[in-house]
Amino acid sequence: AALKPRIGVAVAHEDQAHRIPRSGFASVPDGTERVRARQYPCEMTEPRVDRGALAAVYGGGVGGYDIVWSPAIRPGAVSVIDAMTLVDASRVLDVGAGTGAMTANLRAAAPDAMILSLDPSQAMLRYACEHRAVRAVVADAAALPCAASSVDAVLLAYVLFHLLDPLAALHEAARVLRGGGRVGTVTWASETPPLASKVWDETLNAL
């Protein structure tokens, strides 16, 4: 299937570092739509994801996951990293870092920064440590183990759609940002199934 990414970058203002900016739209050079986080009330009536199933998926076959998915997610994530302008950053959080697919790009974008790779999956982080020498922290996006106003940037690359409460994770990102810090997100905006899948479905429905 053809997956199209959507990225977002928001800046924490000095007097509003604890707040999520309201919606706003802009374009980036590659033509991808950039969307600022929207501040809406959030009420979950049922789980969005099965955390146990996620743990099983991301805890087994980590090497295969890295081979298949790292090339798929890298282009969209690189776009948002470039838009975040991290050259002067001193501390960056890669939340939901997984196998560390974006570590090299973050190091290049923020050459003087301490980059912390956070993920709830120990198996993912173990792989990231072994293959990409990350600074790993087992943590939940909705409860970051960082003091308020302590980091310059937070990256959430293909993370929000996994969470029970995505808005809680954005509030946490805003909480830990220093004034002028940036939070960047990228997720799937749409998915277009291949023609073969359409033909297959039509054939099955006709039987």
Side-chain angles (χ1 to χ4, degrees):
L3 297 167
K4 298 179 180 179
R6 171 170 286 182
I7 70 173
V9 176
V11 179
H13 299 289
E14 292 287 350
D15 59 343
Q16 295 182 327
H18 64 289
R19 296 181 57 188
I20 300 294
R22 293 188 180 277
S23 60
F25 299 84
S27 60
V28 290
D30 65 359
T32 306
E33 191 175 39
R34 186 169 77 193
V35 186
R36 287 192 174 188
R38 299 178 179 223
Q39 189 174 22
Y40 292 140
C42 185
E43 180 181 353
M44 296 296 173
T45 57
E46 59 183 25
R48 288 161 48 89
V49 293
D50 182 335
R51 295 297 292 270
L54 272 181
V57 169
Y58 291 126
V62 173
Y65 170 91
D66 187 63
I67 291 171
V68 172
W69 281 105
S70 289
I73 68 175
R74 190 170 286 115
V78 167
S79 293
V80 77
I81 289 171
D82 290 345
M84 291 171 75
T85 314
L86 302 176
V87 66
D88 295 325
S90 60
R91 183 173 294 178
V92 177
L93 302 185
D94 184 5
V95 178
T99 58
M102 302 316 304
T103 302
N105 298 92
L106 285 170
R107 287 171 176 161
D112 299 321
M114 174 189 293
I115 297 167
L116 300 177
S117 301
L118 285 71
D119 201 277
S121 170
Q122 293 186 34
M124 286 280 206
L125 290 179
R126 189 177 301 112
Y127 183 96
C129 288
E130 293 172 353
H131 293 81
R132 296 184 173 109
V134 305
R135 295 173 182 257
V137 180
V138 176
D140 192 310
L144 299 176
C146 302
S149 305
S150 64
V151 305
D152 299 300
V154 179
L155 175 68
L156 296 120
Y158 300 96
V159 171
L160 294 178
F161 64 93
H162 285 310
L163 305 179
L164 295 173
D165 188 348
L167 190 59
L170 290 174
H171 278 294
E172 268 295 271
R175 179 186 67 81
V176 303
L177 281 179
R178 295 175 179 140
R182 289 172 169 79
V183 56
T185 68
V186 55
T187 192
W188 302 121
S190 63
E191 179 177 355
T192 304
L195 180 59
S197 295
K198 183 174 182 291
V199 173
W200 177 251
D201 290 339
E202 289 175 351
T203 302
L204 290 178
N205 290 335
L207 295 177

